[in-house]
Amino acid sequence: PSAVAVMGGLGGWYANNDNGFRSDEFLTDLYENGLKDYCDYVAIHPYVQPLSDGDFTKTLANIDDLRQIMIDFGDEDKHVILSEIGWTTATGTGVSEAVQAANIKKLYETVLYDEAYNFIDIVALYNLRNAGTSPSSDEHNYGIIRNNGIDLKPSYQSYIDVAAKFERDFVEKPL
């Protein structure tokens, strides 16, 4: 009875995808079949398509859509885990490194400081380190550190800045 149950991370949180999967419909189906009684957290991966669209407001819209479904099913007290979120900087299909950095900063500041998003308890950034070296591979370019593990992308500093702000604002300092 003390275990915490997290719904498997719901990917593809966008209505206008072309793979036939509608995560909003899937989440609705889960709620219609009793999800509210079977998990303690709803987990999502609120990516925006196309990946090159760095408009942060669309990321928030994806989260808001999820939240509205939860509210519609009387599950407004349940919290959310962003179990995977990030922006690829792949050449041709990703965002610029500056946009990646800005979005990471906006994401964490929104979750930490905007009361409208106080239902989000955990944010898992994808990915700490680039997974490969191909500049055109989406999967190789989500990191905030380059694949060599040494060179930092601008998003690394955004992440560090937000963590420092969090520590200043929320972590009690010993006397």
Side-chain angles (χ1 to χ4, degrees):
S2 62
V4 174
V6 179
M7 181 193 90
L10 186 58
W13 188 262
Y14 40 88
N16 298 323
N17 64 49
D18 46 355
N19 65 8
F21 178 76
R22 294 267 319 232
S23 52
D24 54 344
E25 292 173 359
F26 188 75
L27 184 62
T28 298
D29 288 347
L30 288 172
Y31 269 106
E32 287 174 347
N33 286 284
L35 176 68
K36 180 179 178 182
D37 298 327
Y38 293 102
C39 71
D40 299 301
Y41 284 94
V42 171
I44 63 166
H45 307 170
Y47 289 99
V48 173
Q49 291 291 344
L51 295 174
S52 61
D53 188 344
D55 183 350
F56 184 71
T57 62
K58 292 181 181 176
T59 300
L60 292 181
N62 288 346
I63 295 167
D64 294 342
D65 288 348
L66 158 82
R67 188 65 176 161
Q68 190 57 54
I69 292 170
M70 294 173 69
I71 292 167
D72 291 348
F73 282 90
D75 213 6
E76 60 276 347
D77 292 334
K78 188 169 287 166
H79 284 221
V80 169
I81 295 174
L82 302 184
S83 54
E84 181 181 312
I85 186 167
W87 290 267
T88 183
T89 58
T91 305
T93 56
V95 298
S96 69
E97 290 187 359
V99 169
Q100 181 192 47
N103 283 355
I104 288 171
K105 182 178 182 198
K106 288 178 202 172
L107 171 68
Y108 281 98
E109 286 180 343
T110 299
V111 170
L112 292 171
Y113 297 100
D114 187 335
E115 286 294 317
Y117 294 92
N118 66 0
F119 59 89
I120 299 172
D121 287 353
I122 296 171
V123 176
L125 183 63
Y126 183 76
N127 202 357
L128 177 63
R129 186 168 124 180
N130 279 357
T133 58
S134 172
S136 61
S137 169
D138 291 336
E139 285 302 318
H140 285 193
N141 292 284
Y142 277 95
I144 62 174
I145 300 173
R146 297 192 198 293
N147 181 264
N148 65 13
I150 299 169
D151 297 325
L152 308 176
K153 292 164 81 173
S155 52
Y156 179 86
Q157 191 60 52
S158 291
Y159 185 82
I160 294 300
D161 290 347
V162 171
K165 183 176 181 181
F166 173 80
E167 183 177 12
R168 282 192 310 273
D169 293 348
F170 295 109
V171 178
E172 187 173 294
K173 304 243 194 290
L175 297 174

